[in-house]
């Protein structure tokens, strides 16, 4: 069975601090995809990144960066110099190819609050 | 591109009535659509997967007779909550996956259902 664990339920930081959101996953698939989504108070999910299991290169996009390590089954997300607008719930998700369903399994989410 | 809409964005209904939620892919053809449910402060849980022209596949524990899903065209899927009860109050989110090998799902903005 596939599982995503986001151990941090809530994180509170002060603006300009760096913050890392942890994500650990479990899957038996050799080919799988990992995702991060942002859900602001409005509720709409905002896609941030997709990474496939064969690509372990870290990625940086502006203030966002992702660290994918298959050896520890982790896909952590770091926000550098956080801003108040980063306040949201962040979900890590996993999709495999078993059965071709490609359904997403979400972690429980981490609520990030960035205080001014 | 890759815009998914949902209608209505929120709805209040009385217990015992039925409510229909529409999910549309506006600028692409969605061979597969997914319906998720999110209770307050919780994660997204997949309810069912629907492929155009065929019956939906429901996740374990989801009543197919209560949550009717119709994916009649490549741009429209509907979720009907029949005989709604207060415990069905939730945030319902659809996503759509286009044709091809991409595993990215495009999410709608969600529908907040309140059953009184």
């Amino acid at each position: 069975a596939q599982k995503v664990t986001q151990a941090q339920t809530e994180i509170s930081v002060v603006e300009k601090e760096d913050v890392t959101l942890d994500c650990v996953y479990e899957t038996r698939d050799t080919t799988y995809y990992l995702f991060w989504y942002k859900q602001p108070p409005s509720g709409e999910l905002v896609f941030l990144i997709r990474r496939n299991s064969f690509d372990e290169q870290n990625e940086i996009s502006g203030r966002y960066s992702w660290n994918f390590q298959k050896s520890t089954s982790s896909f952590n997300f770091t926000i550098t110099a956080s801003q108040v607008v980063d306040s949201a719930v962040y979900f890590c998700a996993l999709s495999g190819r078993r059965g071709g369903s490609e359904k997403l399994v979400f972690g429980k989410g981490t609520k990030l609050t960035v205080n001014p | 591109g890759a815009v998914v809409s949902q209608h209505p964005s929120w709805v209040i209904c009385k217990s015992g009535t039925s409510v229909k939620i529409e999910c549309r892919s506006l600028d692409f053809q969605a061979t597969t659509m997914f319906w998720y449910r999110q209770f307050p402060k919780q994660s997204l849980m997949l309810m069912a997967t629907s492929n155009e022209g065929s019956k939906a596949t429901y996740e374990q524990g989801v009543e197919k007779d209560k949550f009717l899903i119709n994916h009649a065209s490549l741009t429209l899927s509907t979720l009907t909550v029949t005989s709604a009860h207060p415990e069905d109050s939730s945030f319902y989110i659809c996503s759509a996956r286009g044709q091809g090998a991409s595993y990215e799902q495009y999410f709608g903005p969600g529908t907040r259902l309140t059953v009184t």
Side-chain angles (χ1 to χ4, degrees):
Chain A
Q2 297 181 326
K3 184 179 179 182
V4 176
T5 301
Q6 294 179 256
Q8 305 148 309
T9 306
E10 294 191 39
I11 299 176
S12 183
V13 299
V14 177
E15 207 169 18
K16 297 184 183 179
E17 285 186 22
D18 298 347
V19 58
T20 296
L21 308 181
D22 298 333
C23 173
V24 175
Y25 63 92
E26 296 176 30
T27 181
R28 294 180 181 176
D29 292 338
T30 54
T31 300
Y32 53 89
Y33 293 78
L34 294 162
F35 302 78
W36 275 97
Y37 290 90
K38 173 182 180 179
Q39 187 177 43
S42 63
E44 184 166 357
L45 281 176
V46 178
F47 168 80
L48 296 178
I49 190 172
R50 179 187 71 208
R51 172 66 78 231
N52 73 55
S53 52
F54 297 108
D55 183 1
E56 287 194 71
Q57 282 193 339
N58 292 330
E59 180 156 340
I60 297 174
S61 176
R63 296 184 297 107
Y64 295 168
S65 62
W66 291 268
N67 184 349
F68 176 30
Q69 292 196 351
K70 287 180 75 171
S71 60
T72 56
S73 298
S74 65
F75 187 43
N76 297 336
F77 172 33
T78 298
I79 302 175
T80 303
S82 60
Q83 300 176 1
V84 173
V85 293
D86 295 327
S87 297
V89 179
Y90 290 85
F91 291 97
C92 180
L94 170 67
S95 174
R97 292 184 63 181
R98 177 168 296 178
S101 62
E102 298 111 28
K103 65 180 183 182
L104 284 170
V105 174
F106 286 84
K108 292 190 175 183
T110 297
K111 182 179 180 181
L112 174 65
T113 301
V114 182
N115 299 298
Chain B
V3 177
V4 176
S5 70
Q6 279 185 243
H7 178 81
S9 55
W10 60 270
V11 56
I12 301 173
C13 70
K14 292 187 176 181
S15 188
T17 61
S18 295
V19 175
K20 180 184 284 188
I21 302 171
E22 292 185 350
C23 177
R24 292 182 185 272
S25 56
L26 299 184
D27 50 3
F28 68 101
Q29 293 186 326
T31 52
T32 304
M33 287 186 171
F34 303 85
W35 286 95
Y36 296 85
R37 179 168 56 185
Q38 184 181 30
F39 291 110
K41 298 186 178 183
Q42 294 190 25
S43 187
L44 285 78
M45 298 299 293
L46 180 67
M47 299 175 66
T49 303
S50 74
N51 293 295
E52 185 264 338
S54 60
K55 290 185 178 180
T57 301
Y58 290 80
E59 294 298 299
Q60 194 171 10
V62 178
E63 300 175 58
K64 61 178 68 176
D65 294 331
K66 181 169 183 61
F67 298 99
L68 301 179
I69 293 172
N70 187 337
H71 192 161
S73 76
L74 285 172
T75 59
L76 174 65
S77 176
T78 60
L79 167 67
T80 302
V81 183
T82 62
S83 186
H85 288 98
E87 56 265 32
D88 298 324
S89 298
S90 187
F91 192 53
Y92 292 87
I93 306 173
C94 74
S95 70
R97 190 177 76 85
Q99 297 164 329
S102 170
Y103 287 91
E104 185 172 340
Q105 294 179 24
Y106 301 97
F107 283 84
T111 296
R112 192 163 301 281
L113 170 64
T114 302
V115 184
T116 61

